[in-house]
Amino acid sequence: MTRLDLVIVGAGPAGLRASVEAAAVGLSVMLVDEGREPGGQVYRGSESGAFAGTAKLGSDYAAGAVLAAAFRASGVEALFGATVIQIEREADGSFCVSVATGHDKAVVVRARAVIAATGAQERPFPIDGWTLPGVMTAGAAQTMLKADGVVPDGPVVLAGTGPLLYLLAAQYGALGVAIDTLLDTAAPGNWRRALPHVPGFLTSRYAFKGLGLLGKALAATRIIRGVEAVSAIGDTRLSAVTYRKGATERTIPAHVLLLHHGVVPQINLTWSTGAQHRWNAARLAFEPVRDASGKTDVPGLFIAGDSGGIGGAQAAEAEGALAAFGVLRMLRGTAGDDDPIEGRWRHRLAVSLRGRAFLDALYAPRQSHLSPPDDVIVCRCEEVTAGDIRKAVRRGAMGPNQVKAFTRAGMGPCQSRMCGLTTVAIIAEETGLSPGDIGHMRLRAPVKPVTVAQIASLSEADERRTTESPSATRPRK
Amino acid sequence: MSLAPERSGNDCDVAVIGGGVVGLSLAYGLAKTGLAVTILDEGDIAHRASRGNFGLVWVQGKGLDNPDYARWSLASARAWPFFAAEIEAATDTALSYEQRGGLMASLTEDDLDTRCNDLRRLHNRGQDCADFERLDAGGMKRLLPAIGPDVVGGTFCPHDGHVNALRLFNALHAAAASLGAIYRPNATVEAIDRLPDGFSITGATGEIRAGKVVLAAGLGNARLGPMVGIHAPVRPQRGQILVTEKLAHFLDYPLGTIRQTDEGGVMIGDSKEEVGFDNGTRHDVLAGIAANAIRIFPLLAQAQVVRSWGALRVMTPDGYPIYERSVTHPGAYLVTCHSGVTLAAVHASHVAGMIGSGDWLPDLTPFAAGRFADVPSPG
Amino acid sequence: MFRRLVEPAGHVTVTIDGRPFSVAAGETLSTALLLAGFAGLRRSARLGRERGPFCGMGVCFDCLVTIDGAANRQACLVRVRDGMAVQTGTRLPALADTVPE
Ligand SMILES: Cc1cc2nc3c(=O)[nH]c(=O)nc-3n(C[C@H](O)[C@H](O)[C@H](O)COP(=O)(O)OP(=O)(O)OC[C@H]3O[C@@H](n4cnc5c(N)ncnc54)[C@H](O)[C@@H]3O)c2cc1C
Ligand code: FES
């Protein structure tokens, strides 16, 4: 039976760099991404987006084009527009990766190792009215900007916390797009909690970039800090935003409200493999447990980039390289990291992670925004409110799986991506347990919805694949 | 701090171990007779078939070579409308229980002949057994307009029905609670000891004392049974299930392996695999389930699957339930079965009544655990 | 609600709820729909409330539309093609016996 050395899931900086390095050392590699071209979230549209080949979105964004070109030159076979729906580990220790490719097609790819580089998603920011059309995430708006060169029109309000909120404001500012109001909802004590991390921050690239960024955003926008509550008002679409700060409550007209609550690892795929995950209390997120090369407790499974813990694009790229070396070491049975290239990536990773702790503390969301009031919808798909979840907990559902069975929260097409963390936060608040002890809802295949026909085609695809030989890759020069 | 009271008085009249559909049905029924009931359950992560089942109240093909089981299933199906109405009234929950009959679809004439012969054999035993009807392709099409051309015919049984399984699970919790039953999660039981006036049950959350104890712990009964002198060698059997997004209503009747819930999602199942305690999913098994579903309803090909899971059935060596009262530990009972939804109605009424009163009626004698005396404990 | 900042290289025609629209070639479908004035794209499955694109990256499943007969596709993960037929407004999709390709 033929099989590849390595399947890489995700074509962001982590997956692209892993592909380039793995191909350079002679591994047979396939890269899979549900997007249409290399780039992932941060470098979305680097090849063919509205700002491809320009510096209008900043030099960081321009780096994406360079990486995408290196990837194209590596000769790694890539499946774009393809979604990995299941990774199974076989009795012989190899992996069977199920990939949905077209409306009714799927393929099965077999490999000796897998690098999951599925990136991050935005942390849900459940507020009253957040399901109204016109309310979107800051990430969505940024994606529209990068991919299509489209920006909000009419009164725009940004609300929440996190570097991306300010980055977006700065990018809009640089392009002359007016933002009416930025409602900063970060917890009031954040500055104090962030102070111990200042030395690390000052030696980081964020210090320079971050301050410039804030300056630009500040100049163009009305910023209201210490906002305690935000709600979206409208009938069939957004018409206004209400916010509260202390005793004052104001309603401002808005056509577009962009919410942001930081980013967290996208764990649906990694969790479904059975790899161990743990709660990161500083980042308020579940993260897979991995070593310095991204190796998990599932032998042969490596995790790189933001899906292993938020580190940003530069860190993701370095982790991608390190994971590729880790895979090589595992497959060749060699020990130690004697490769000087690997050492350089390790150094780059350390540098790019500097300042992260400061940002985590500075932009931490408020507890009351993680666990919203009773009438706020938490699970958008099944329209389950925070109150429904609290009621279930009070009736004895002490964990997210039982809450799911009681309320249907997490059973819709988004597969708990939009409600999982909030559900855990509510249970934690109700029971006094830590999210780490509570755990997340079990995440299973298919990690994205696929058609019955696609699932049906998996067995046939399996047989087809095993009789074909994978494309050869270049040996190291 | 006061001293612990003398061993007078238990914490409750009956402790039910297990918070799945079986335990909850019994707890509800026991509470209804006026007893003080405590339900001891495991935590959030547990083998709890009640969260993963198919929601059929099913008679067709049950007990093909065991008329006692066939009759028992039918009795429960007949009691279900009353049971459902009672639970709905007690909890203000719509269970979406429907009993308009259910179908099995055959893709080959051979399969159809075999199925009909089996059902006829059972029916001809003359006792109170389920009716059924053989349908040709045209007959199937009339009841199920979306049926595909590969289906050559099928069987219809008027007693079959289905229910929203999760709402049943939820409502049983609420119904038991409304009668004063106490639910204790994270209370995995480790030991059961006899006391002069009942039992001491210890586990993760300490000790509780109960006059009677009912073991309804699903797969856990294999381990707990011997603590009260009952040998219940149950083993896991995995079933994998796919669920689609919510779709506009197109299915008026449940099939044994495909049904549309009141909310619109279509459940497609289920495999029968002997894989121990592995409740994962396998792409090749899911592929087979999906391919079969498309042959029966071609339009399902384009429906999106939003979830899949593996759940572990609680299987006895012969597939039939165990109802047992302990000889060595009077006051201890064990109940286990794999069709806990179908049998919920008789569990809540007959079985709970017998446990409450202590009068073991002959209905249950065919299901005594003694029939497995020679079967070693699994694992 | 939204406007275009960068002039597209070319245009294609898609039909939305039976009406033709000229949109930027290669554009993300959810973007094209927003620019065409469709804020709400569907109704939520349980309560029947208006929903539109939210996360823009394939996570939330609120941008579901029927594309060339295939129900419940994520508009934010699809690019427009000339001649694409898009249907908004479904609550629970009905399955057709035959779905074009
Ligand atoms: C909305 C958003 C906006 C952001 N904007 C910025 C920014 O402007 N600047 C900045 O510095 N950082 C930004 N970040 C953070 C930045 O995206 C990350 O630091 C960086 O992209 C991490 O790289 P990665 O390779 O780990 O993941 P990503 O770039 O996210 O790449 C992961 C890839 O995996 C694919 N994928 C996931 N699951 C599957 C599957 N099952 N099958 C197939 N493919 C799959 C995805 O399509 C994606 O292409 C943003 C994050 C988000 C979520
Ligand atoms: S906008 Fe969230 S999935 Fe498309």
Side-chain angles (χ1 to χ4, degrees), chain A residues 185-207:
Chain A
T185 64
N190 279 2
W191 263 107
R192 220 171 338 102
R193 285 184 283 274
L195 273 180
H197 304 295
V198 164
F201 177 72
L202 288 178
T203 59
S204 76
R205 44 193 296 285
Y206 299 108

Side-chain angles (χ1 to χ4, degrees), chain B residues 3-361:
Chain B
L3 288 169
E6 277 296 291
R7 356 190 102 171
S8 66
N10 288 308
D11 298 302
C12 59
D13 297 325
V14 190
V16 175
I17 305 178
V21 166
V22 174
L24 292 169
S25 305
L26 293 168
Y28 166 73
L30 286 159
K32 220 174 77 176
T33 67
L35 295 170
V37 179
T38 297
I39 303 156
L40 301 173
D41 201 7
E42 290 184 286
D44 188 50
I45 296 169
H47 294 295
R48 198 166 291 141
S50 307
R51 287 198 306 224
N53 73 69
F54 210 70
L56 294 176
V57 176
W58 205 252
V59 175
Q60 188 170 172
K62 289 280 171 73
L64 285 180
D65 27 59
N66 184 337
D68 290 315
Y69 183 55
R71 257 195 309 277
W72 186 238
S73 300
L74 184 59
S76 197
R78 288 198 167 128
W80 243 97
F82 308 100
F83 172 65
E86 188 181 308
I87 298 288
E88 290 191 335
T91 60
D92 207 14
T93 311
L95 295 182
S96 303
Y97 167 68
E98 272 183 13
Q99 189 181 28
R100 317 169 59 180
L103 293 133
M104 295 292 293
S106 291
L107 294 166
T108 65
E109 289 290 347
D110 273 359
D111 177 69
L112 184 57
D113 288 343
T114 313
R115 196 190 303 283
C116 287
N117 289 337
D118 287 345
L119 292 176
R120 195 166 303 115
R121 184 160 37 82
L122 180 64
H123 189 70
N124 291 345
R125 293 205 173 194
Q127 296 138 328
D128 188 13
C129 282
D131 302 322
F132 81 97
E133 198 183 325
R134 177 181 176 136
L135 299 174
D136 61 10
M140 292 293 278
K141 186 95 188 163
R142 269 192 299 283
L143 294 182
L144 307 167
I147 203 103
D150 287 358
V151 175
V152 299
T155 50
F156 174 82
C157 168
H159 310 289
D160 293 336
H162 60 161
V163 63
N164 186 309
L166 288 175
R167 257 187 268 135
L168 171 66
F169 181 57
N170 199 338
L172 283 173
H173 266 280
S178 74
L179 297 174
I182 294 168
Y183 177 69
R184 291 217 195 160
N186 301 319
T188 307
V189 171
E190 303 300 344
I192 306 171
D193 295 300
R194 257 196 80 59
L195 299 173
D197 55 353
F199 296 88
S200 154
I201 303 156
T202 44
T205 47
E207 184 200 18
I208 85 154
R209 292 182 180 190
K212 290 182 177 179
V213 60
V214 181
L215 277 51
L219 290 166
N221 274 349
R223 184 176 65 91
L224 297 176
M227 296 178 194
V228 295
I230 300 175
H231 177 55
V234 285
R235 67 169 201 285
Q237 184 191 58
R238 182 168 73 185
Q240 297 186 41
I241 292 177
L242 298 167
V243 179
T244 71
E245 62 192 330
K246 296 180 173 66
L247 301 167
H249 179 86
F250 76 97
L251 253 189
D252 287 339
Y253 301 88
L255 276 68
T257 56
I258 302 174
R259 73 182 197 94
Q260 185 170 27
T261 71
D262 56 301
E263 283 146 340
V266 178
M267 300 181 76
I268 307 171
D270 48 348
S271 55
K272 294 189 166 63
E273 305 159 77
E274 301 295 334
V275 290
F277 284 88
D278 174 1
N279 66 359
T281 57
R282 284 285 316 175
H283 76 277
D284 44 354
V285 176
L286 291 178
I289 292 171
N292 212 49
I294 293 172
R295 286 187 70 191
I296 296 174
F297 295 113
L299 48 62
L300 279 178
Q302 290 305 315
Q304 306 214 43
V305 172
V306 295
R307 285 179 289 136
S308 78
W309 66 84
L312 303 179
R313 294 186 192 84
V314 184
M315 284 311 262
T316 58
D318 60 9
Y320 301 120
I322 300 175
Y323 299 104
E324 188 60 282
R325 56 182 170 166
S326 174
V327 179
T328 55
H329 294 61
Y333 300 83
L334 183 144
V335 175
T336 227
C337 70
H338 98 82
S339 294
V341 175
T342 300
L343 297 178
V346 281
H347 287 167
S349 51
H350 297 46
V351 180
M354 288 186 237
I355 292 173
S357 66
D359 300 331
W360 213 239
L361 299 177

